[in-house]
């Protein structure tokens, strides 16, 4: 119902605002910017304190779906030990479908060789369950490592691919 | 590796915490797309924070700046959006990007009700733009012109053949609206008729088609074409957003035609919709009036009688809702969710039209934004001690490693390298100026030299004679050969010396540079810790200040919304009161007439 009325708003157009309303707008706008900056201050501090760039290990999750593919869950294991797992909502699936990327994991790793296993579960065409495991061997050096997992669904069976930087 | 050097390198590595690693373009893109994820989840604050963080950690690019500008626009931050878009334009954007930026800016301004400023921004868009952008520009441009009451300019714009050929329902509808506003009914009629008959391709197009048919019916009714108007209304969807307005108009048209049974049927149909829609308060009284006109007086009396308690009940419910709104948290209910109908949610039914208004929509979205931010901040506050504790741990770890590191060991190494270098330089000089002939001379060569020296002494001691000169000649020849041989060995030795010297100098240079860098980081690190600590110390104050500002905004917007809701509910109460009075009058009139008729009977 709300959408229909919002559509009507588009038809009827806007009403010019008063100077007082503009001041209130400005105040709220400044508050929004200050909250963003505060959040950013904490995010920078968190990365610097907890995840220094030379030790950082980040896993990103993305989907590329032209069909009905829907991501249900992802589980990450590093050298056989559970690293993280995540369940996806409809809204998150839609956000991924529209070009969003999820930072699935952020942590630290010492230099060395690793074996990462990603268990991806989803629902494909005609409600068929999809399960695929992707194994990624990589070497962590004294610099940040980034891993992208991407589920591609181009009409045939979905495929999980990975890239490491 | 030397233990001291390992310790030194590990310390260097520790000190690099916080140094920015140049990020790969693909990684930058991934980080940017995490902001897209938040944007798509409509968490604009989180999306903006991600992009600001990316900028500060050196993993941002031009596309990130573009995205941030768009997020500012979507989050109602038109001034920040404008600043960002202007910066992008100034940095040498392409024509397409420039057009997109100005369009986005115009749309941001229009959404905030800055109609003239929106028009200014639209003026910067070049004429040769792609179709998708053209459509958006035309829609916005039309809305701007209509909002500024410049219907003639809107007509000129929308009447152009190339715009008409786009066959866009929104543009066509706005064209008809502009035409009707300047009484160009014939042309409006033509546009609405064509719009009302096309096959809608989407829900949005279907709603516009319904609206077009409704406006067409109004226009036809105004021109006395009642039958045609009724035909147009038949095309309005019976379960769309304009179903009530359509039934209302149709009932009135039947009344005009004195088709009282048909009119009554529509008024009764409207009454039945009252369980799900807000129907005109007059539906009950006018259904009874239609029955009266149709000669069904018992049904008319019953209709009037039923209307009185019904209106009373609705008025009572609305008055209770007004009281409830004063003291309860009702704003959560405006989130667009479908709530079950109850005494506490009844008032929501009267709002859809209000919510479509700019004033209400803006105040509501501001309130919701402020509330979301306030909640985010409330969640941050309890996590601050954890940051402090991690910072303290890192500080301790740094001090511990710094304590383990012996500064003298590194200096000792540098001094040793310096001594080696000095020794090699001196050796080099000695081989070069011949002051030390033994440089580069092997042991065998040295012994041979000594023997030759002794032989020379003995030859020179011989009495002068014919055989002395040839002996000296042979001695000189041998000595010459020996010197030549020694020089060859010295040259090789000098080359070796040079290589060693270069290696030592390079090691020394590296050691000094590392030491300088380490000293710099060691000097900076405590300052960084202090800075982080000061930032964390200031955080509760910042949060309190922001929350207080946000709560003031919420309070102000809540009041604005409440006033508008109250106005709407009071208006409905007035309508109900008026129709209740009419119903009372109807009952009295009909009963009076019945008693007169009874009295008149012989």
């Amino acid at each position: 119902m709300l959408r229909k009325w919002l559509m009507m708003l588009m038809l009827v157009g806007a009403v010019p605002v008063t100077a007082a309303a503009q001041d209130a707008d400005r105040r709220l706008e400044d508050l929004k910017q200050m909250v963003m900056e505060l959040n950013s201050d904490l995010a920078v501090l968190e990365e610097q304190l907890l995840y220094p760039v030379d030790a950082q290990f980040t896993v990103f999750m993305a989907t590329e779906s032209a069909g009905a593919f829907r991501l249900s869950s992802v589980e990450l294991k590093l050298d056989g030990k559970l690293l993280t797992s995540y369940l996806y909502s409809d809204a998150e699936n839609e956000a991924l479908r529209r070009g969003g990327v999820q930072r699935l994991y952020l942590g630290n790793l010492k230099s060395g060789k690793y074996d990462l296993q990603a268990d991806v579960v989803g629902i494909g065409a005609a409600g068929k369950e999809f399960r695929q495991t992707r194994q990624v061997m990589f070497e962590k050096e004294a610099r940040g490592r980034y891993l992208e997992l991407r589920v591609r669904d181009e009409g045939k069976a979905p495929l999980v691919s990975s890239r490491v930087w | 590796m030397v233990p001291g050097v390992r310790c030194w390198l590990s310390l260097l590595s520790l000190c690099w915490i916080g140094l920015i690693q140049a990020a790969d373009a693909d990684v930058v893109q991934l980080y940017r797309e995490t902001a897209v994820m938040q944007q798509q989840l409509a968490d604009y604050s989180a999306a903006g924070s991600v992009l600001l963080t990316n900028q500060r950690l050196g993993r941002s690019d031009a596309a990130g700046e573009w995205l941030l500008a768009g997020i500012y626009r979507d989050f109602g931050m038109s001034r920040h959006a404008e600043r960002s878009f202007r910066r992008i334009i100034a940095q040498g954007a392409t024509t397409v990007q420039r057009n997109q930026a100005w369009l986005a800016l115009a749309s941001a301004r229009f959404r905030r009700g800055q109609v003239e400023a929106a028009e200014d921004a639209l003026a910067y868009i070049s004429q040769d733009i792609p179709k998708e952008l053209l459509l958006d520009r035309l829609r916005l441009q039309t809305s701007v012109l209509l909002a500024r009451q410049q219907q003639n300019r809107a007509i000129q714009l929308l009447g152009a053949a190339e715009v008409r050929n786009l066959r866009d329902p929104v543009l066509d509808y706005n064209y008809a609206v502009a035409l009707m506003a300047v009484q160009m009914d014939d042309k409006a009629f033509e546009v609405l008729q064509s719009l009302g008959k096309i096959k809608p391709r989407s829900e949005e197009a279907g709603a516009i088609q319904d609206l077009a048919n409704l406006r067409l019916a109004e226009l036809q009714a105004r021109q006395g074409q009642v039958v045609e108007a009724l035909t147009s209304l038949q095309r309005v969807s019976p379960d769309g957003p304009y179903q009530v307005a359509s039934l209302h108009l149709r009932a009135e048209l039947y009344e005009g035609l004195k088709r009282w049974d048909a009119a009554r049927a529509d008024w009764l149909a409207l009454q039945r919709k009252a369980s799900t829609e807000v129907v005109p308060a007059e539906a009950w009284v006018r259904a009874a009036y239609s029955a009266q006109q149709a000669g069904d007086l018992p049904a008319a009396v019953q209709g009037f009688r039923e209307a009185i308690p019904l209106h009373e009940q609705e008025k009572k419910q609305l008055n209770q809702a007004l009281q409830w709104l004063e003291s309860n948290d009702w704003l959560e209910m405006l989130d667009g969710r479908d709530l079950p109908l109850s005494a506490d949610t009844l008032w929501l039914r009267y709002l859809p039209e209000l919510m479509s208004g700019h004033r209400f929509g803006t105040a509501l979205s501001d309130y919701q934004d402020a509330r979301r931010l306030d909640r985010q901040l409330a969640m941050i506050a309890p996590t601050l001690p954890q940051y402090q504790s991690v910072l303290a741990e890192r500080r301790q770890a740094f001090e511990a490693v710094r304590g383990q590191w012996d500064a003298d060991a590194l200096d000792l190494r540098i001094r040793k390298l310096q001594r080696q270098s000095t020794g090699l330089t001196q050796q080099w000089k000695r081989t070069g100026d011949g002051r030390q002939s033994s440089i580069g001379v092997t042991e065998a060569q040295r012994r041979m030299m000594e023997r030759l020296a002794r032989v020379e002494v003995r030859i020179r001691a011989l009495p002068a004679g014919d055989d002395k000169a040839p002996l000296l000649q042979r001695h000189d020849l041998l000595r010459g050969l020996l010197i030549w041989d020694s020089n060859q060995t010295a040259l090789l030795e000098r080359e070796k010396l040079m290589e060693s010297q270069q290696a030592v100098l390079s090691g020394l240079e590296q050691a000094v540079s590392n030491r300088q860098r380490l000293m710099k980081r060691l000097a900076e690190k405590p300052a960084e810790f202090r800075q982080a600590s000061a930032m964390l110390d200031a955080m509760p104050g910042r949060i309190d200040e922001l929350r207080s500002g946000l709560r003031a905004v919420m309070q102000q917007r809540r009041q604005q919304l409440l006033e508008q809701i109250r106005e709407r509910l009071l208006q409905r109460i007035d309508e109900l009161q008026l129709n209740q009075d009419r119903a009372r009058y109807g009952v009295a009139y009909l009963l009076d007439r019945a008693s007169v008729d009874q009295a008149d009977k012989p």
Side-chain angles (χ1 to χ4, degrees):
Chain A
M1 177 58 96
L2 187 63
R3 265 193 62 211
K4 288 176 186 167
W5 291 104
L6 288 176
M7 194 276 300
M8 279 185 68
L9 174 66
M10 182 181 69
L11 292 172
V12 296
V15 176
V17 289
T18 60
Q22 280 189 14
D23 280 348
D25 278 355
R26 254 184 234 124
R27 174 82 188 118
L28 179 60
E29 196 174 330
D30 290 343
L31 286 167
K32 286 176 177 177
Q33 179 66 17
M34 285 192 269
V35 174
M36 281 188 196
E37 281 168 5
L38 183 141
N39 275 324
S40 172
D41 283 348
L42 285 174
V44 170
L45 184 69
E46 191 176 294
E47 282 205 31
Q48 287 180 339
L49 284 180
L50 299 178
Y51 312 108
V53 282
D54 51 347
Q56 208 175 88
F57 174 57
T58 315
V59 182
F60 296 96
M61 187 73 211
T63 63
E64 253 174 58
S65 173
F69 179 78
R70 192 186 168 283
L71 198 56
S72 302
S73 68
V74 176
E75 192 176 275
L76 293 184
K77 285 181 193 148
L78 193 71
D79 292 339
K81 286 181 191 159
L82 182 69
L83 202 60
T84 189
S85 62
Y86 197 85
L87 295 174
Y88 292 85
S89 67
D90 286 345
E92 285 164 335
N93 263 289
E94 194 51 34
L96 286 167
R97 187 196 290 271
R98 288 168 179 266
V101 167
Q102 179 205 14
R103 190 165 72 174
L104 181 60
Y105 177 78
L106 171 63
N108 292 324
L109 278 187
K110 287 179 183 169
S111 296
K113 287 182 178 171
Y114 291 94
D115 173 10
L116 183 123
Q117 183 182 311
D119 294 320
V120 181
V121 181
I123 297 166
K128 202 174 161 190
E129 194 188 58
F130 161 83
R131 269 176 192 277
Q132 204 170 100
T133 298
R134 179 87 194 170
Q135 199 108 16
V136 189
M137 314 283 277
F138 65 95
E139 188 168 355
K140 170 78 178 61
E141 293 146 3
R143 64 180 188 88
R145 265 277 182 229
Y146 308 93
L147 171 73
E148 181 205 50
L149 293 168
R150 187 173 285 268
V151 186
R152 284 195 171 84
D153 175 30
E154 291 157 349
K156 297 174 189 171
L159 190 74
V160 184
S161 64
S162 62
R163 283 204 294 174
V164 182
W165 289 271
Chain B
M1 192 185 284
V2 183
V5 174
R6 192 182 292 129
C7 171
W8 173 40
L9 286 178
S10 76
L11 190 63
L12 260 180
S13 147
L14 180 93
C15 290
W16 282 334
I17 294 171
L19 282 184
I20 305 307
Q21 184 175 300
D24 188 292
D26 289 329
V27 176
V28 166
Q29 187 182 340
L30 283 171
Y31 272 108
R32 178 180 0 102
E33 286 166 352
T34 60
V36 174
M37 178 95 181
Q38 301 300 333
Q39 184 193 28
Q40 292 300 329
L41 290 168
D43 191 347
Y44 301 115
S45 163
S49 301
V50 166
L51 291 168
L52 291 179
T53 306
N54 288 349
Q55 280 179 358
R56 292 167 63 184
L57 293 178
R59 50 190 191 214
S60 186
D61 58 4
E65 187 148 359
W66 182 266
L67 183 62
L68 182 61
I71 283 164
Y72 281 145
R73 182 201 57 195
D74 293 345
F75 202 26
M77 299 170 67
S78 53
R79 277 187 309 132
H80 283 81
E82 176 157 356
R83 244 176 267 153
S84 294
F85 281 128
R86 280 189 185 279
R87 199 164 44 238
I88 292 166
I89 291 167
Q91 280 165 0
T94 63
T95 308
V96 174
Q97 286 172 329
R98 224 179 8 248
N99 285 334
Q100 283 174 338
W102 282 116
L103 184 62
L105 205 53
S107 135
R109 288 170 174 179
F110 185 70
R111 276 195 224 175
R112 302 305 296 179
Q114 299 160 10
V115 182
E116 286 183 27
E119 193 171 18
D120 291 345
L122 281 167
Y124 285 101
I125 300 174
S126 56
Q127 292 304 311
D128 50 335
I129 51 176
K131 193 187 166 186
E132 304 77 42
L133 215 58
L134 174 69
L135 210 57
D136 288 342
R137 192 198 77 188
L138 285 169
R139 282 183 174 196
L140 186 58
Q141 208 167 358
T142 311
S143 299
V144 165
L145 291 173
L146 292 179
R148 297 193 67 195
Q149 305 288 316
Q150 295 188 353
Q151 283 84 2
N152 284 321
R153 280 182 64 199
I155 291 167
Q156 198 183 353
L157 175 76
L158 298 172
E162 59 269 28
V163 178
R164 305 286 303 127
N165 287 340
L166 292 171
R167 298 193 173 282
D168 178 61
V170 174
L171 291 181
D172 286 353
Y173 177 78
N174 281 331
Y175 184 37
V177 167
L179 290 166
M180 282 193 288
V182 293
Q183 273 80 48
M184 290 173 70
D185 287 355
D186 290 348
K187 187 72 188 164
F189 184 89
E190 193 188 303
V191 176
L192 287 172
Q193 205 163 35
S194 136
L195 188 57
K197 285 179 182 166
I198 55 155
K199 198 176 172 186
R201 288 183 197 152
S202 63
E203 195 188 349
E204 182 197 74
I208 295 171
Q209 191 182 40
D210 281 355
L211 192 55
N213 279 313
L214 187 64
R215 294 281 169 268
L216 182 62
E218 285 169 358
L219 201 58
Q220 287 164 327
R222 214 158 69 192
Q223 292 178 346
Q225 300 170 7
V226 180
V227 178
E228 289 81 355
L230 287 168
T231 310
S232 298
L233 288 177
Q234 275 176 359
R235 289 195 292 266
V236 178
S237 164
D239 50 6
Y242 302 103
Q243 51 175 308
V244 169
S246 168
L247 262 179
H248 192 175
L249 179 59
R250 200 169 72 176
E252 287 184 331
L253 291 175
Y254 282 136
E255 280 184 356
L257 291 170
K258 300 199 186 308
R259 288 173 59 184
W260 301 109
D261 286 334
R264 185 168 171 243
D266 278 350
W267 291 122
L268 290 173
L270 274 174
Q271 288 178 20
R272 284 193 294 278
K273 284 190 179 291
S275 58
T276 53
E277 306 282 333
V278 175
V279 299
E282 62 186 358
W284 283 263
V285 171
R286 289 182 79 164
Y289 178 73
S290 296
Q292 179 193 336
Q293 293 299 317
D296 189 349
L297 295 187
V301 172
Q302 193 189 344
F304 283 131
R305 276 191 169 147
E306 279 174 3
I308 297 167
L310 272 174
H311 291 348
E312 190 58 37
Q313 190 194 351
E314 195 177 336
K315 276 189 333 188
K316 194 178 161 193
Q317 286 172 333
L318 288 170
N319 279 312
Q320 282 171 346
L322 282 168
Q323 280 183 343
W324 185 87
L325 286 166
E326 293 292 342
S327 52
N328 283 281
D329 188 9
W330 43 270
L331 274 150
E332 299 275 345
M333 296 179 172
L334 297 176
D335 284 350
R337 289 170 292 156
D338 281 332
L339 296 169
L341 195 64
S342 72
D344 292 346
T345 59
L346 178 105
W347 57 279
L348 281 167
R349 301 174 64 210
Y350 301 88
L351 302 194
E353 209 169 335
L354 194 61
M355 285 170 91
S356 72
H358 176 266
R359 206 157 63 98
F360 193 91
T362 308
L364 179 59
S365 107
D366 284 353
Y367 176 86
Q368 288 169 337
D369 288 346
R371 186 184 57 191
R372 198 175 298 122
L373 295 178
D374 183 57
R375 285 181 181 168
Q376 279 178 10
L377 292 172
M379 281 161 68
I380 290 172
T383 65
L384 294 176
Q386 290 167 27
Y387 283 98
Q388 290 281 21
S389 127
V390 172
L391 181 63
E393 275 174 30
R394 289 289 181 273
R395 206 176 215 165
Q396 271 179 350
F398 171 75
E399 294 300 338
V401 178
R402 187 164 71 165
Q404 281 169 15
W405 174 61
D406 182 3
D408 292 342
L410 188 58
D411 288 342
L412 210 63
R413 177 175 158 74
I414 290 173
R415 277 198 292 277
K416 191 177 163 190
L417 285 166
Q418 280 171 336
R419 273 199 304 277
Q420 278 179 9
S421 175
T422 311
L424 286 167
T425 308
Q426 284 168 354
Q427 232 176 328
W428 168 261
K429 280 180 182 167
R430 282 198 296 270
T431 58
D433 62 13
R435 271 190 299 153
Q436 190 177 341
S437 55
S438 64
I439 290 297
V441 176
T442 63
E443 187 56 32
Q445 285 168 336
R446 190 183 57 76
R447 278 202 301 272
M448 190 68 81
M449 283 282 197
E450 284 170 3
R451 279 182 68 188
L452 268 176
R454 283 197 297 274
V455 168
E456 187 186 0
V457 170
R458 283 168 62 190
I459 292 172
R460 290 198 186 282
L462 288 173
D466 292 343
D467 51 350
K468 190 176 176 177
L471 279 174
L472 273 172
Q473 208 173 356
R474 279 185 65 190
H475 164 265
D476 289 347
L477 183 65
L478 275 171
R479 192 167 173 271
L481 278 170
L482 200 56
I483 288 169
W484 181 85
D485 191 35
S486 301
N487 281 346
Q488 287 304 308
T489 313
L491 268 175
L492 285 172
E493 194 63 25
R494 277 167 67 91
E495 271 177 29
K496 276 185 197 166
L497 268 175
M498 193 189 282
E499 279 170 16
S500 302
Q501 177 71 317
Q502 274 171 353
V504 169
L505 284 174
S506 166
L508 188 63
E509 192 182 8
Q510 185 70 32
V512 169
S513 154
N514 283 344
R515 190 186 191 286
Q516 280 172 346
R517 198 163 46 165
L518 178 64
M519 294 312 290
K520 189 168 178 279
R521 292 298 302 154
L522 283 172
E524 282 172 359
K525 204 66 196 167
E528 279 177 18
F529 282 133
R530 275 197 304 277
Q531 205 181 342
S533 182
M535 195 257 276
L536 282 173
D537 288 343
M539 203 54 91
R542 279 171 76 185
I543 291 176
D544 284 349
E545 196 184 335
L546 284 170
R547 289 194 70 191
S548 141
L550 289 166
R551 280 197 293 263
V553 169
M554 284 160 69
Q555 183 56 33
Q556 188 198 35
R557 298 295 195 268
R558 184 185 191 278
Q559 200 52 36
Q560 287 171 355
L561 291 166
L562 185 60
E563 277 164 22
Q564 292 180 66
I565 294 170
R566 198 189 289 131
E567 199 178 312
R568 172 73 188 99
L569 298 188
L570 287 172
Q571 181 199 351
R572 177 72 177 180
I573 290 172
D574 285 349
E575 288 165 10
L576 289 165
Q577 184 61 53
L578 177 70
N579 284 285
Q580 199 181 25
D581 292 345
R582 281 179 179 160
R584 284 202 179 98
Y585 174 78
V587 173
Y589 172 78
L590 288 177
L591 289 179
D592 188 42
R593 218 178 97 180
S595 65
V596 169
D597 288 350
Q598 194 71 33
D600 284 351
K601 278 187 183 169

